[in-house]
Every structure is written in structure tokens, then in C-alpha cells.
Amino acid sequence: MRRLESDYHVHSYRVPTSYTNGHIHWMAGVTGPPVPMGPSHVHYYSTVTTFDQGHLHCASGVTGHSIPCPEGGHTHLLTGCTSVDHYHSHYYGSYTGNEEASMLFQRRAI
């Protein structure tokens, strides 16, 4: 089966954490390339939150399966819990950006 370079896409994300101990953090980054999973695919991610209240948190995980967007392309659910720092952690949950907005390659057979 021939694959397209466009099969190797990534997604951007910008996600706020939950409000814990009187503050929130923000996380932003870009996922890794797609990993086939059944009829769909997922992406790994790893990031560090903003530095707020004298500390930051780490977060990493695997997105959910692809979710088609009405205007074309797809997104993924990004949920989890940050590392424990300053005796607490934060939850987060949001969606990645559409892969068509962060496409790295032209569509051509490889």
C-alpha cells in the first residue's frame, strides 16, 4: 500500500489546566506523528505547563482516536492529569487543532 507524506501529520494544542490551589496553568505544543490504532490513529504528546505560582508541571500521554471535523480534517481529544508539583496536580481536557491547519508536507506519494 502506498502511503502519502500527508499521512505523517501532527496537531497543535493549547490547553488550560483545571483550577487547583488558586491557580491554573496553560500547556501548548505539537503532537508526535500518527500511530495507527485499529481503523483510526492516535498521537503521543509530551509538554510542560506555564510557570505559575512559583512552579510548573509536566504532562504526557496519548490522544484519543481521530474525530472528523465538519469542515474537513480531524481533531483528537487530549485529556489527563499533570505531574504532582508543589503538592498538587491539575487535570486537563480539550481538543487538538485540526491537522489540516498544521500540515507539514505536500500530498504526494512516497
Side-chain angles (χ1 to χ4, degrees), residues 66-90:
S66 63
I67 302 166
C69 294
E71 68 279 4
H74 68 275
T75 187
H76 295 266
L77 185 60
L78 189 85
T79 63
C81 186
T82 67
S83 61
V84 176
D85 294 284
H86 270 211
Y87 307 104
H88 70 279
S89 62
H90 296 264

Side-chain angles (χ1 to χ4, degrees), residues 20-25 50-56 86 88 90:
T20 306
N21 283 7
H23 67 281
I24 69 166
H25 296 270
T50 55
F51 186 81
D52 297 290
Q53 301 289 316
H55 68 282
L56 52 77
H86 270 211
H88 70 279
H90 296 264

Side-chain angles (χ1 to χ4, degrees), residues 34-78:
V35 176
M37 178 102 28
S40 183
H41 68 277
V42 297
H43 297 263
Y44 288 95
Y45 64 92
S46 182
T47 190
V48 176
T49 67
T50 55
F51 186 81
D52 297 290
Q53 301 289 316
H55 68 282
L56 52 77
H57 300 269
C58 296
S60 62
V62 181
T63 68
H65 290 272
S66 63
I67 302 166
C69 294
E71 68 279 4
H74 68 275
T75 187
H76 295 266
L77 185 60
L78 189 85

